[in-house]
Amino acid sequence: MRSVAAVLVPFVVMLALATVGSPGASAALPGVPPTSAPWVTIGDIRNNFYRQIGNFALLMRRIVFREDISLVEVVSGSTQAAGAGFNYRLLLRVADGEGSIGRYQVVVWGVPKSRDWTWKVVSFNRVAGN
C-alpha cells in the first residue's frame, strides 16, 4: 500500500504547475496574490538563493513534462512584492540532455524561510537567444 505522502506529493506538484508554460500575471494562479507593486532588479544575482529558485522551477518542469534539463546560470532577475511573499522573475540559461543551451524566463512566487506557504511556478517560457 502506498503512503499518503506518495499519493499527495504528485498531486501537490501538479497543482503548483497548473499554469507552467502559460504567460500572464501571478493572479492567474490560485493562491498567488495579485500585485501592482513594481519589479525591482536583483543586485546580487549570483546569490545562491536565486539559483535555488531557478533549480526549483526546473525541477517542477522536469517532474511534470519529464524533460531532461539542468540549470547552467541565472543570468538576471527582478523581484516584486506579492501578498505575503514575492514574485521572482528570473532569466535562466538551461541545458537540455543533448547539451543545447537555451534561455528561459521563469516567474516563481514564494515566501522565503516559510514552511507555511507552498512555492509556485507561475510561468516558464523560452525566450530568444542563448
Side-chain angles (χ1 to χ4, degrees):
M1 185 170 170
R2 294 171 62 179
S3 70
V4 173
V7 173
L8 289 180
V9 168
F11 177 72
V12 170
V13 168
M14 291 304 291
L15 284 177
L17 288 173
T19 61
V20 167
S22 66
S26 60
L29 188 63
V32 177
T35 183
S36 60
W39 287 97
V40 178
T41 301
I42 296 170
D44 183 15
I45 199 63
R46 302 252 182 249
N47 184 311
N48 194 48
F49 176 68
Y50 303 111
R51 189 167 182 86
Q52 290 175 342
I53 294 171
N55 276 320
F56 168 74
L58 294 178
L59 174 63
M60 295 299 104
R61 182 86 179 188
R62 282 193 303 264
I63 290 171
V64 172
F65 296 104
R66 305 218 187 274
E67 293 179 350
D68 183 12
I69 54 177
S70 60
L71 182 62
V72 173
E73 174 186 23
V74 179
V75 177
S76 63
S78 53
T79 62
Q80 179 185 52
F86 292 90
N87 288 319
Y88 297 90
R89 182 173 56 196
L90 303 176
L91 179 61
L92 309 175
R93 291 184 68 227
V94 175
D96 65 17
E98 298 172 3
S100 296
I101 296 180
R103 291 164 55 111
Y104 293 84
Q105 180 173 289
V106 301
V107 176
V108 175
W109 179 87
V111 180
K113 299 181 183 178
S114 173
R115 295 180 185 256
D116 297 330
W117 298 87
T118 303
W119 285 71
K120 296 170 178 57
V121 176
V122 178
S123 66
F124 192 105
N125 298 297
R126 187 171 183 120
V127 296
N130 56 356

